[in-house]
Amino acid sequence: MKHFIPTLVFLFSGFLSFAQFENFDLSKYKLPDIKRHQLTFYVDGDNSFSKDYLKDDQTTTENDLFTRFSGTYSSFLNSRKKQVNLNINFLDWFDFNKNKTDDGHWDKNKFNNSSISIVSDQRHYFENELLFLHVVPRLGYLHSRSLDQTPHTWNERIYDVRNINGNGNISPKMEIGIGYGRIEPVGDLRQALYILEDMQKNQRLEKLPDENEIVKLASRISTLKNKRFFDSRLRHIYEIKSLDSLMSEMGLIKNQDAVYFTSLNDLWLYGDEVRNSGKRLQLDLNLGLSYIFIKSKSDDFNWEKQDLVTTTQKDNYFNNSVGANFSFTQFKPIGVKWERYIFVSSSLNYFYHDIFNQFEYPSILNDYFLVESMAQLKYKWYLNTRTNFNCGLRGQFSLQNYKSDDPNFSGFDSELFGGFSYYISPHIQLIFNTSLNFAWRDNPHYNADKQISCSNRLSFTYQIF
């Protein structure tokens, strides 16, 4: 009995210790002034299968094979006065598509697209650090090339009709607006709690840290992550020594030795999860300008020559837009392992065109208003520092209202999605996503009024630094 009571007290105190970390309020953390740089290469493949139910009781099946390669340079600047995200992205992707109808008709399409985009998303805060000015300058370039291949029969001869099209698009755009609220990245605080939890389980803590000490450790982690070393070995040695020294200064450990090194090392390498807390209302006005130049090459059957004739055509025009967007975003930590994400937006944009040359454009290039509303709910479960799962649903409604006599377009899309990510190494991440989509459309130019589709994507991400 005399040994049972101390043992019970020890176990109960240990339970309270873990509960202290488990119930810590992540929203208390304020990220210190930092500037973070990152260069990432990304390659992935995607396959999808869909079936359309047409208005004439026929069905169309479609298979799509997609590969993509991209490189992204990003930087993040955080202070009490501003938050700035800069992204420079290069993207090149290939798409092979084949669809077939009930009557045996088929066609193949091959697409190759390259793009470069530069986006600087800036929020400049006023004195109360909640009211902000939102400025987003953008610059994009897109080059597209497509090959359409469809068999046609004339005079009992089958002709393989091939149409080659290429076009480019340079599009600067500026958004400016105001908002209220602030979203803080809190992943570094969560990593500090992971470290303290693991040290407590291994009985390496000399005392339980108070709230200020936990925040101090998290701030040191945030600062360390933004020091750059070309030699990753030197960087790793510096980071571990710095954390070891700080915890010794705060009296959390007795000796600065390597007893707890392996655990600390593992959690440091695999603990860089993206976590956020906060909510934000935002109203943006935008003015967009796209300069589009088109070059097309097509094969058409000439009845006089009884053969295919190749024709080329060039044209260019401006595609201008002006509009406004209102959005609400919320990240809500649920304990330390769960997170809820809510996003709701509604926008109104007016698109109008300046055509330079004589060209018979389809009616879709007439001026129109575009109304869009979207809502998304997502839950993420962080199993450990290397693995997380997500699931959610999304719905979107859109309406194109033309100024001319052209009929309006409307549609509603809903999606169920899920996925997971796993760090194979500190710089290589495996990501899998799956989705099931239901779409309804009221569009006279689109033969299908409803569509069911599913897609799966497996990708690997490698971060240089």
Side-chain angles (χ1 to χ4, degrees), residues 65-204:
L65 181 62
F66 177 92
T67 59
R68 178 171 61 180
F69 173 81
S70 69
T72 300
Y73 168 78
S74 62
S75 69
F76 173 64
L77 173 65
N78 181 85
S79 69
R80 292 298 94 194
K81 292 296 183 182
K82 60 183 176 181
Q83 290 180 326
V84 180
N85 280 286
L86 172 64
N87 284 279
I88 303 174
N89 179 260
F90 168 78
L91 179 64
D92 193 74
W93 68 97
F94 299 87
D95 190 5
F96 176 75
N97 175 278
K98 181 178 180 180
N99 61 71
K100 184 178 181 180
T101 59
D102 292 340
D103 58 8
H105 177 78
W106 62 267
D107 61 78
K108 296 179 181 178
N109 301 281
K110 297 179 182 178
F111 305 93
N112 174 226
N113 299 278
S114 301
S115 69
I116 299 175
S117 65
I118 303 174
V119 180
S120 179
D121 193 331
Q122 308 174 23
R123 291 179 178 85
H124 299 268
Y125 287 86
F126 297 98
E127 292 299 325
N128 63 356
E129 298 182 6
L130 289 175
L131 182 65
F132 64 86
L133 174 67
H134 188 217
V135 181
V136 189
R138 304 171 185 265
L139 179 63
Y141 171 74
L142 171 66
H143 180 265
S144 301
R145 185 177 184 273
S146 65
L147 169 63
D148 303 330
Q149 183 178 356
T150 307
H152 288 281
T153 303
W154 289 286
N155 296 335
E156 298 182 352
R157 292 176 58 189
I158 298 177
Y159 292 86
D160 188 12
V161 177
R162 296 159 57 89
N163 294 321
I164 302 175
N165 295 284
N167 64 78
N169 183 351
I170 300 175
S171 52
K173 187 177 181 180
M174 171 66 79
E175 296 180 19
I176 186 168
I178 60 172
Y180 186 85
R182 188 182 180 100
I183 292 177
E184 293 281 357
V186 295
D188 296 336
L189 174 59
R190 184 65 191 97
Q191 186 174 0
L193 294 174
Y194 273 128
I195 293 172
L196 294 171
E197 284 176 352
D198 199 76
M199 292 178 62
Q200 176 66 22
K201 291 177 184 177
N202 291 289
Q203 302 181 19
R204 300 302 301 166

Side-chain angles (χ1 to χ4, degrees), residues 38-44 69-73 230 232 422-431 459-465:
Q38 185 169 294
L39 179 62
T40 303
F41 290 109
Y42 183 96
V43 60
D44 75 340
F69 173 81
S70 69
T72 300
Y73 168 78
F230 184 76
S232 61
Y422 176 75
Y423 277 95
I424 299 174
S425 76
H427 294 282
I428 301 178
Q429 186 180 21
L430 169 66
I431 303 172
S459 59
F460 293 88
T461 298
Y462 180 73
Q463 295 180 355
I464 296 296
F465 61 84

Side-chain angles (χ1 to χ4, degrees), residues 310-325:
T310 300
T311 58
T312 60
Q313 193 165 22
K314 297 180 181 180
D315 206 80
N316 50 69
Y317 64 95
F318 278 121
N319 181 7
N320 308 309
S321 67
V322 59
N325 180 77

